[in-house]
Amino acid sequence: MDLARAREEYLSYLAVERGCSANTVAAYGRDLERYVSWLGECGVTSPDEVSLELVEEHVRELSARGLAASSVERAASAVKGFHRFMLTDEIATTLPTADLPLPAKPRRLPDVISQADAARLLDQPFPETPTGLRDHAVLEVLYGCGLRASELCGLDERAVLLDEGVVRVFGKGSKERVVPILGAASAALERYLERGREALVGRTRCPAVFLNARGGRLSRQSVHAIVEKYGRVVGLKGLHPHTLRHSFATHLLEGGADLRVVQELLGHANVATTQLYTHLDRSHIRRVYLSAHPRA
């Protein structure tokens, strides 16, 4: 089997057997299409013709092109997984990537907004229209529940249990978690469900909580546009849905929330990912230390 055919087999394996998201499969597909094409230019079309030196040269070339370190790391990871799959499935008899190190990815702290900026964003006047009520609920739920944009778009009505104060969220890898929805987020979502959503429902009766003007499920791109639009109104240019998720986590920790609780709310598999937020606000840590330590 040649490399191009093996690539298709691997992507099918990721989607069907590993249950990877469409976005992950698409990203790996682009990385491997570039890789297989590059190998073809080098005269290599068979899996067993690939050497570690060739793979390392490909990774160096990606860096030389100016790709972000995270993109180079993902591409290298895709190549490693691809060769491991070919060996396991007996498409290849060698594993040239066995000793391939992943490029170091610089530690980047997430963007956050202050609690005052969050209040300005969420307390601004919203139009009393179906889309205005929806947009307000979108912002409140992103910040109040710490959801990813994809998780918000994937919410169905049956997953929202306002009487119990929770929403059932399906995150990365289709892992389900239960997140509290209380206070302003609950109130904004309830107003939208009672007074806005029905006006947006189309003939197909889409089960999604958040609908577009045609009655279909709101897209991630639309969520990004909504967040950016209302952020711009209050002077927060370039505001991103993930910034609201990061701010949710940071503000909880500043308020004294336990790191493990925040990990559960965010749906992080590893607490090390959540620990990144403990490095965000050194001034807050200093204030807590000064107020709590007897010899400070």
Side-chain angles (χ1 to χ4, degrees):
M1 186 183 297
D2 65 17
L3 284 163
R5 174 69 187 282
R7 169 185 170 273
E8 297 303 318
E9 293 285 332
Y10 179 54
L11 295 178
S12 176
Y13 159 77
L14 289 178
V16 178
E17 295 187 40
R18 290 284 303 276
C20 293
S21 71
N23 288 333
T24 298
V25 174
Y28 271 42
R30 289 190 296 271
D31 291 333
L32 293 175
E33 182 177 19
R34 180 170 51 203
Y35 174 60
V36 170
S37 176
W38 183 84
L39 288 174
E41 292 171 5
C42 297
V44 174
T45 58
S46 171
D48 284 333
E49 294 174 347
V50 182
S51 66
L52 174 60
E53 290 73 23
L54 271 175
V55 178
E56 289 178 329
E57 185 179 344
H58 175 67
V59 174
R60 284 195 298 270
E61 185 172 299
L62 294 179
S63 297
R65 288 185 189 180
L67 266 67
S70 58
S71 298
V72 176
E73 184 194 36
R74 188 196 63 216
S77 179
V79 169
K80 286 186 68 124
F82 180 42
H83 280 284
R84 190 165 52 248
F85 164 79
M86 289 191 290
L87 181 68
T88 303
D89 261 36
E90 300 182 352
I91 298 171
T93 59
T94 61
L95 184 61
T97 57
D99 297 320
L100 177 71
L102 290 178
K105 185 168 64 174
R107 193 176 184 88
R108 181 179 179 274
L109 295 178
D111 295 326
V112 298
I113 58 175
S114 67
Q115 294 186 38
D117 282 341
R120 287 196 301 118
L121 174 71
L122 300 170
D123 292 340
Q124 68 178 290
F126 289 83
E128 288 294 319
T129 61
T131 54
L133 292 168
R134 178 203 65 196
D135 294 352
H136 188 195
V138 162
L139 292 170
E140 289 281 7
V141 172
L142 285 173
Y143 175 70
C145 301
L147 303 191
R148 302 177 178 93
S150 58
E151 293 170 345
L152 181 128
C153 294
L155 275 182
D156 286 343
E157 278 195 290
R158 59 188 174 83
V160 176
L161 306 171
L162 289 180
D163 289 344
E164 298 178 30
V166 298
V167 291
R168 292 171 52 241
V169 179
F170 289 89
K172 290 185 175 181
S174 298
K175 292 180 181 177
E176 182 183 0
R177 69 183 189 278
V178 176
V179 179
I181 181 165
L182 303 164
S186 178
L189 183 56
E190 186 173 16
R191 282 196 301 272
Y192 162 64
L193 292 174
E194 290 180 351
R195 295 162 44 196
R197 186 181 180 279
E198 192 59 33
L200 298 174
V201 172
R203 292 181 180 179
T204 58
R205 306 295 299 186
C206 177
V209 170
F210 294 103
L211 303 174
N212 58 34
R214 297 178 302 279
R217 189 180 295 273
L218 201 65
S219 68
R220 287 171 56 190
Q221 291 79 5
S222 295
V223 172
H224 288 203
I226 289 167
V227 172
E228 198 278 333
K229 169 187 172 182
Y230 287 97
R232 191 170 59 247
V233 170
V234 295
L236 300 173
K237 294 182 180 179
L239 190 62
H240 191 278
H242 230 59
T243 303
L244 297 183
R245 174 174 161 86
H246 295 322
S247 302
F248 160 84
T250 303
H251 298 165
L252 279 175
L253 289 168
E254 287 179 352
D258 181 83
L259 188 67
R260 290 285 183 180
V261 172
V262 176
Q263 176 193 1
E264 183 73 20
L265 292 174
L266 291 173
H268 286 162
N270 192 330
V271 74
T273 307
T274 317
Q275 283 175 329
L276 188 62
Y277 295 101
T278 64
H279 302 290
L280 285 172
D281 192 347
R282 296 291 184 184
S283 62
H284 171 71
I285 295 173
R286 178 181 171 83
R287 288 196 303 272
V288 171
Y289 175 85
L290 288 172
S291 64
H293 197 283
R295 303 285 288 179

